[in-house]
Amino acid sequence: MTEQSRHPVTLFTGQWADMPFEELARRAAEWGYDGLEIAASGDHLDLVRADEDDAYVQSRLDILDRHGLKVWAISNHLAGQAVCDDPIDFRHQAILRDYVWGDGDAEGVRQRAAEDMKRSARVARKLGVDVVVGFTGSSIWPYVAMFPPVPGEVIDRGYEDFANRWNPILDVFDAEGVRFAHEVHPSEIAYDYWTSVRTLEAIDRREAFGFNWDPSHMAWQGIDVVSFITDFSDRIYHVDCKDTRIRRASGRQGVLGSHLPWGDPRRGWDFVSTGHGDIPWEDAFRALASIGYDGPISIEWEDAGMDRLHGAAEAVRYIRSLLWKLPEASFDAAFRNQ
């Protein structure tokens, strides 16, 4: 970790799954990253191989070591999405590994996805990592508009379904001494403040389950992203930095995106490279310091209007500029004993 930063700054590899892992590691080191948040995608991390072959695990660590990088967290967003989702359809087939999709039978996909999440906990421990970042999926997200009318018991059953499917997964996380950091995100069981509260209640607030603070998905919903840090101060297990630009001045744009493609100027909001949007990063990092968060700051690059090589290199410089050294004493200590 560089002297100027009190946190390791890492690059999330999910949006780089088309780039060979060694090449990405080389580039990340050249850009000034301390490590990678390795996604179970592309050739970056094959969880089945890693679960069965210690030599393969060592090969991932060797690549990092050759480039002076480390790993503090891995991610398995895509399999996690399929654990609770209903329906399971063409969207899932496009993102899942073949061994998770199998024959496409919906319940079979969910069960295989759950096994892959358990596998991710075991692989994390082999890599010396204690956090897995990811999604949960949700059987009740299709009812978010609550019309046609949805009885309350349907929503109740959705949280029960989540608990029934995830508690056995979290048992494996507990056994491995690994925590799951759920990314609060539309289409998941926890997508805003109140659903996050209810999600924790559904699993009796067990410690294995916390949150990946990624403000980009909260901001366009109108959630106070800084208050989320202090409200869930004991559950912030990981941080992803992705930015969102909100543009609704014309009064034509809504919060749901209008089925317009990424980068379309008619959208009311869009993901942009870190530092180019409306996330109050300085306030957020001050809040993270106040709760004692000492983990990695991982940059997740998404921007339909910027080349990713430019964006990834620029973002790490921007984030480092905000991670200044904390004071060793109160700023008003000099006024005492005069």
Side-chain angles (χ1 to χ4, degrees), residues 167-186:
N167 271 322
I169 296 170
L170 296 174
D171 288 343
V172 177
F173 273 73
D174 279 335
E176 298 293 339
V178 176
R179 299 177 297 175
F180 179 70
H182 168 57
E183 187 167 326
V184 177
H185 185 292

Side-chain angles (χ1 to χ4, degrees), residues 215-235:
S216 64
H217 309 289
M218 303 183 204
W220 63 262
Q221 297 182 71
I223 298 167
D224 184 331
V225 301
V226 176
S227 291
F228 192 94
I229 294 170
T230 52
D231 287 342
F232 295 100
S233 59
D234 65 333
R235 296 292 166 151

Side-chain angles (χ1 to χ4, degrees), residues 18-283:
D18 60 318
M19 183 179 290
F21 187 59
E22 178 106 37
E23 180 182 351
L24 180 57
R26 176 183 62 79
R27 288 181 181 272
E30 292 173 351
W31 292 326
Y33 287 88
D34 297 309
L36 299 176
E37 176 194 343
I38 308 174
S41 303
D43 81 329
H44 298 184
L45 183 60
D46 183 324
L47 292 176
V48 171
R49 287 187 65 187
D51 195 27
E52 298 173 352
D53 184 358
D54 290 346
Y56 173 77
V57 174
Q58 188 60 48
S59 75
R60 304 295 92 185
L61 296 172
D62 289 345
I63 288 173
L64 294 173
D65 189 60
R66 277 199 293 274
H67 299 283
L69 301 175
K70 294 183 179 180
V71 55
W72 286 268
I74 64 172
S75 83
N76 197 12
H77 288 75
L78 305 184
Q81 185 68 49
V83 173
C84 289
D85 265 8
D86 188 5
I88 296 288
D89 57 27
F90 65 94
R91 299 166 301 164
H92 301 83
Q93 185 176 13
I95 65 174
L96 294 173
R97 299 277 198 184
D98 289 343
Y99 68 81
V100 175
W101 178 256
D103 61 4
D105 171 73
E107 185 57 26
V109 171
R110 295 185 193 104
Q111 293 294 333
R112 289 187 291 274
E115 290 304 312
D116 207 49
M117 294 311 301
K118 296 174 184 177
R119 187 178 290 116
S120 69
R122 296 192 295 268
V123 171
R125 177 49 53 214
K126 285 188 171 188
L127 286 165
V129 164
D130 63 6
V131 172
V132 175
V133 183
F135 292 147
T136 61
S138 171
S139 63
I140 54 175
W141 174 254
Y143 310 131
V144 67
M146 299 297 280
F147 190 87
V150 180
E153 56 265 27
V154 171
I155 305 303
D156 293 342
R157 286 198 299 270
Y159 283 96
E160 291 170 5
D161 177 73
F162 157 72
N164 290 337
R165 293 181 185 278
W166 274 88
N167 271 322
I169 296 170
L170 296 174
D171 288 343
V172 177
F173 273 73
D174 279 335
E176 298 293 339
V178 176
R179 299 177 297 175
F180 179 70
H182 168 57
E183 187 167 326
V184 177
H185 185 292
S187 78
E188 313 307 325
I189 197 68
Y191 58 89
D192 62 10
Y193 172 84
W194 292 113
T195 56
S196 295
V197 170
R198 188 160 185 186
T199 295
L200 291 176
E201 291 173 346
I203 53 172
D204 295 326
R205 299 187 63 87
R206 60 186 298 177
E207 292 184 8
F209 188 98
F211 298 122
N212 176 50
W213 182 81
D214 179 342
S216 64
H217 309 289
M218 303 183 204
W220 63 262
Q221 297 182 71
I223 298 167
D224 184 331
V225 301
V226 176
S227 291
F228 192 94
I229 294 170
T230 52
D231 287 342
F232 295 100
S233 59
D234 65 333
R235 296 292 166 151
I236 305 299
Y237 291 170
H238 192 263
V239 168
D240 270 355
C241 293
K242 186 168 70 176
D243 219 329
T244 302
R245 178 176 291 178
I246 300 170
R247 296 292 182 268
R248 300 190 185 125
S250 76
R252 298 186 185 95
Q253 302 94 337
V255 300
L256 298 181
S258 307
H259 290 297
L260 294 169
W262 302 116
D264 191 311
R266 295 173 295 172
R267 288 181 60 92
W269 59 274
D270 220 334
F271 297 132
V272 292
S273 192
T274 307
H276 289 270
D278 297 311
I279 303 300
W281 294 110
E282 181 177 334
D283 290 346

